[in-house]
Amino acid sequence: KVLMEKIAEDNNLIHDHMKNREIEVSAMGRKIDGLLKLKNVADRVGSTLREDEILRTVADETFNIFGEDSRVLFFTVKGSGGLSLSITLKGPSRRKFESKKGGIFDSWAMKNTKSLLVKDIKEDFRFSVKGREQEDDAVSLMVKPLIMEGRVLGVIRVDSSREATFTPHELRMLDIIGDLAAVAMENARLYQQTEDLAIRDSLTGLFVHRYFLERLDEEVKRALRSGNTFALLMIDIDNFKKFNDENGHMAGDAILQKTGAILRGKASAGDTVARYGGEEFAFLSLNMDRPGALELAERIRDDIEKAVVVLRREKYSVTVSIGVSMFPEDARLKDDIIMEADRALYRAKKKGKNRVCSK
């Protein structure tokens, strides 16, 4: 009898030990699965240097990890310092998130630069849910601020319509995803800044001559395929050397900056404006016919003539001459379209300056 009891006791111990082992193995499997998913996030965000692609990738992978019952909201911090909803991913049963600037939970995570886990938004004493958030279907949630060198770049939030959906383990996973996203976003922004330095003129902020030629070559090839037209405006400040000699290089730089700002303000989506060299500028305007191009050139000429730069209580102003050429009406090659615009510019100079000329 004693032996049988001892065998039964040993059997129970072995059974309990195996049960605990099964739990540990299952937990280990979930951890390994989570780590593989996190590795996939790291691999994908590390493969691009475009911020929009990083946001979409992180949102997609987060949604895949936490399932269709969840809703993923990705906010970015805009220039004003506030949140702006960039991406929403949700299952078919979830409501659309109405607050484009985020709610109290997202603002709390951003201001406190801490992750947040809420099991039930109605029971959490830290928050008083009102307005649109009260009508929303989110019950439990977790929020991770994306922080880089003390700056908040954005906020990623995962919520559920059921209470106590998320655990501290899942919040740790979101923390890792958020840290990966913050590093990738910062790298993308630094890359963009470096690229801008390489292709933009430091004084005017316009594109440099080399980049303009690349864009013009691309647009010629695209227009030949599609049959579209575009205009090239060559713009030169009249008597700029004399202006510099009489008023100094500071006044000359101020005029160049003002001219660049006016040209940027006239550009539509897809247009390219460049400092072509010295006091000469190039303006590539897409999907433009000749009457429209001449009207644009005249508006530019008039705005620059009326613009006044104040420096050391002195007022300065200049005029410009503009030559306009059209693709494919005037030329069908990159070098020829530039040559035709230069010829038109030369005619404008010869006729007395401060005017627009075309073929």
Side-chain angles (χ1 to χ4, degrees), residues 47-76:
S47 65
T48 180
L49 284 169
R50 288 187 53 182
E51 187 170 340
D52 57 339
E53 290 182 4
I54 290 167
L55 300 186
R56 172 56 62 178
T57 297
V58 171
D60 286 343
E61 292 297 332
T62 304
F63 186 68
N64 290 337
I65 288 171
F66 295 106
E68 286 197 355
D69 290 336
S70 64
R71 181 178 61 184
V72 175
L73 308 172
F74 206 129
F75 300 90
T76 52

Side-chain angles (χ1 to χ4, degrees), residues 156-173:
I156 186 166
R157 164 174 164 175
V158 184
D159 60 37
S160 170
S161 57
R162 295 177 287 110
E163 64 180 46
T165 301
F166 307 109
T167 65
H169 170 69
E170 288 170 312
L171 180 61
R172 284 193 293 274
M173 288 189 67

Side-chain angles (χ1 to χ4, degrees), residues 220-230 287 327-328 332:
V220 167
K221 292 174 182 175
R222 186 177 289 113
L224 286 171
R225 290 195 303 268
S226 65
N228 291 336
T229 63
F230 65 79
N287 303 313
F327 181 94
R332 297 177 67 87

Side-chain angles (χ1 to χ4, degrees), residues 1 30 34 109 129 153 176-177 200 238 258-259 271 319-320 338 354:
K1 186 178 179 181
R30 287 195 300 273
V129 181
L153 306 180
I176 295 171
I177 293 170
R200 289 191 182 273
D238 297 325
K258 186 68 176 179
T259 303
D271 291 352
T319 62
V320 294
I338 294 173
N354 191 24

Side-chain angles (χ1 to χ4, degrees), residues 3 7 19-20 56 101 155 210 220 270 272 280 347:
L3 182 60
I7 291 171
K19 198 171 184 180
N20 290 334
R56 172 56 62 178
K101 295 182 179 180
V155 167
R210 173 186 56 79
V220 167
T272 303
E280 193 172 3
R347 289 195 296 273

Side-chain angles (χ1 to χ4, degrees), residues 27-262:
M28 186 65 70
R30 287 195 300 273
K31 287 182 180 180
I32 292 171
D33 183 56
L35 289 171
L36 290 173
K37 289 176 179 177
L38 291 174
K39 182 183 181 301
N40 191 46
V41 176
D43 289 342
R44 288 193 62 192
V45 299
S47 65
T48 180
L49 284 169
R50 288 187 53 182
E51 187 170 340
D52 57 339
E53 290 182 4
I54 290 167
L55 300 186
R56 172 56 62 178
T57 297
V58 171
D60 286 343
E61 292 297 332
T62 304
F63 186 68
N64 290 337
I65 288 171
F66 295 106
E68 286 197 355
D69 290 336
S70 64
R71 181 178 61 184
V72 175
L73 308 172
F74 206 129
F75 300 90
T76 52
V77 175
K78 296 303 180 184
S80 60
L83 291 175
S84 176
L85 183 60
S86 298
I87 297 175
T88 302
L89 293 178
K90 64 182 187 66
S93 63
R94 298 299 308 281
R95 291 183 190 173
K96 181 181 176 182
F97 190 73
E98 298 294 340
S99 182
K100 301 299 181 184
K101 295 182 179 180
I104 55 173
F105 307 105
D106 316 300
S107 297
W108 185 95
M110 182 183 73
K111 290 176 181 176
N112 291 279
T113 62
K114 292 180 180 178
S115 297
L116 176 66
L117 178 63
V118 177
K119 293 184 178 181
D120 189 335
I121 63 172
K122 294 178 182 177
E123 300 295 329
D124 197 306
F125 68 91
R126 296 172 293 179
F127 303 100
S128 177
V129 181
K130 298 176 183 177
R132 286 183 175 180
E133 281 189 296
Q134 198 170 18
E135 299 170 2
D136 191 52
D137 63 349
V139 177
S140 59
L141 55 86
M142 50 184 180
V143 186
K144 163 66 177 174
L146 312 182
I147 305 167
M148 195 69 192
E149 296 181 351
R151 293 178 296 111
V152 179
L153 306 180
V155 167
I156 186 166
R157 164 174 164 175
V158 184
D159 60 37
S160 170
S161 57
R162 295 177 287 110
E163 64 180 46
T165 301
F166 307 109
T167 65
H169 170 69
E170 288 170 312
L171 180 61
R172 284 193 293 274
M173 288 189 67
L174 186 64
D175 281 340
I176 295 171
I177 293 170
D179 290 339
L180 290 169
V183 171
M185 288 170 66
E186 183 70 4
N187 287 342
R189 292 179 183 185
L190 290 173
Y191 175 79
Q192 186 61 53
Q193 290 172 11
T194 304
E195 191 175 59
D196 285 346
L197 288 172
I199 65 174
R200 289 191 182 273
D201 173 59
S202 59
L203 180 63
T204 63
L206 302 179
F207 291 114
V208 296
H209 179 268
R210 173 186 56 79
Y211 180 78
F212 170 76
L213 292 179
E214 291 173 2
R215 285 285 295 115
L216 179 60
D217 190 49
E218 291 170 3
E219 290 306 327
V220 167
K221 292 174 182 175
R222 186 177 289 113
L224 286 171
R225 290 195 303 268
S226 65
N228 291 336
T229 63
F230 65 79
L232 174 61
L233 284 61
M234 298 299 289
I235 304 152
D236 188 80
I237 300 176
D238 297 325
N239 306 313
F240 188 71
K241 184 179 184 304
K242 181 181 177 183
F243 179 91
N244 256 348
D245 292 342
E246 292 177 355
N247 303 292
H249 288 289
M250 284 186 65
D253 287 350
I255 287 293
L256 290 170
Q257 288 174 329
K258 186 68 176 179
T259 303
I262 291 171

